[in-house]
Amino acid sequence: MSRPTNRRQDNHKIDWHLPSISSSASAHHMSRELFVLTYGALVAQLCKDYEKDEDVNKYLDRMGYDIGIRLVEDFLARSAVRKCRSYSETVDVIAQVAFKMYLGITPSVSCSNTTENEFFLMLDKNPLVDFVEELPAGRCSLCYCNLLCGVIRGALEMVHLVAEVTFVQDRLKGDDVTEIGITFLKKLEDKKHKRKK
């Protein structure tokens, strides 16, 4: 059977309108709150799909990594930061600019060793757990916010820095503070294509 040629195809256009908001700060707050709620639903679904906490943690890290490798372009365009000259400068930019820009918080930074390649971000407030009081029952190994580690790792890799990023302490696990550890492993060489003469 063939379609009649004289029949016009209907193109339905859906016009979505967000509620009017008086300031951009309110819009940012609303979108952050929506992200937090959506993230909670994602973690809950992953806990149903995977029996082991390690599998959920790996999935969240991989998902964050994919976000990080794409988010770095937006960050560099919007922040206008210059190239960092040291690991400590890089971590300061992550804490003072990136976290502030995307999550509305500014973690404090500390360095733990003399080689200055290991740093800690202390989060006084973690917006991803605004609506979470505790980890689900039987999920004591779950790193609920492991997405953040993946985002940081992916973004760093895109600026040629290989790092290990993990949660060191987590308030959801009864710790006094939420702390993310960043250990820089190496700098990747920027491969520039040279013309052959």
Side-chain angles (χ1 to χ4, degrees):
M1 259 186 154
S2 63
R3 286 188 171 158
T5 56
N6 62 351
R7 187 172 175 189
R8 185 173 65 98
Q9 286 186 345
D10 294 330
N11 290 331
H12 298 286
K13 188 176 180 183
I14 299 174
D15 193 13
W16 295 95
H17 294 286
L18 290 174
S20 322
I21 297 174
S22 60
S23 72
S24 61
S26 297
H28 180 70
H29 177 73
M30 186 173 84
S31 63
R32 186 174 53 204
E33 199 169 271
L34 177 63
F35 173 72
V36 170
L37 289 170
T38 305
Y39 183 73
L42 169 73
V43 174
Q45 185 60 50
L46 289 173
C47 287
K48 289 179 185 175
D49 293 346
Y50 295 101
E51 288 181 21
K52 296 181 181 176
D53 292 343
E54 293 79 22
D55 294 336
V56 176
N57 295 340
K58 284 179 188 174
Y59 190 92
L60 291 171
D61 182 73
R62 187 174 64 239
M63 184 183 219
Y65 177 83
D66 291 341
I67 292 169
I69 62 176
R70 288 168 180 80
L71 192 66
V72 73
E73 288 181 28
D74 177 67
F75 171 75
L76 292 172
R78 290 177 53 199
S79 68
V81 296
R82 293 179 294 160
K83 185 175 180 176
C84 297
R85 298 176 190 262
S86 66
Y87 292 143
S88 62
E89 190 178 341
T90 302
V91 174
D92 284 341
V93 167
I94 291 169
Q96 296 172 6
V97 183
F99 267 84
K100 184 74 171 171
M101 185 183 293
Y102 294 107
L103 293 175
I105 61 170
T106 305
S108 57
V109 177
S110 65
C111 180
S112 75
N113 61 13
T114 56
T115 60
E116 294 189 9
N117 73 324
E118 191 173 12
F119 298 85
F120 298 98
L121 300 175
M122 311 279 199
L123 284 68
D124 292 330
K125 184 175 192 285
N126 182 354
L128 289 183
V129 297
D130 279 352
F131 304 108
V132 180
E133 292 180 13
E134 59 186 25
L135 292 174
R139 293 289 186 166
C140 60
S141 302
L142 178 66
C143 288
Y144 183 85
C145 298
N146 216 33
L147 180 95
L148 292 177
C149 294
V151 169
I152 295 169
R153 192 170 56 84
L156 286 172
E157 194 169 302
M158 290 307 290
V159 294
H160 307 287
L161 295 171
V162 177
E164 182 181 295
V165 185
T166 57
F167 269 91
V168 179
Q169 296 184 66
D170 191 347
R171 281 194 174 135
L172 288 178
K173 294 182 178 182
D175 296 320
D176 294 334
V177 68
T178 298
E179 183 178 29
I180 298 174
I182 302 174
T183 304
F184 291 96
L185 303 174
K186 65 180 178 177
K187 291 182 182 180
L188 297 175
E189 294 300 318
D190 189 9
K191 296 179 183 177
K192 295 182 180 179
H193 299 289
K194 295 181 180 180
R195 286 182 154 174
K196 291 183 180 179
K197 293 184 179 180

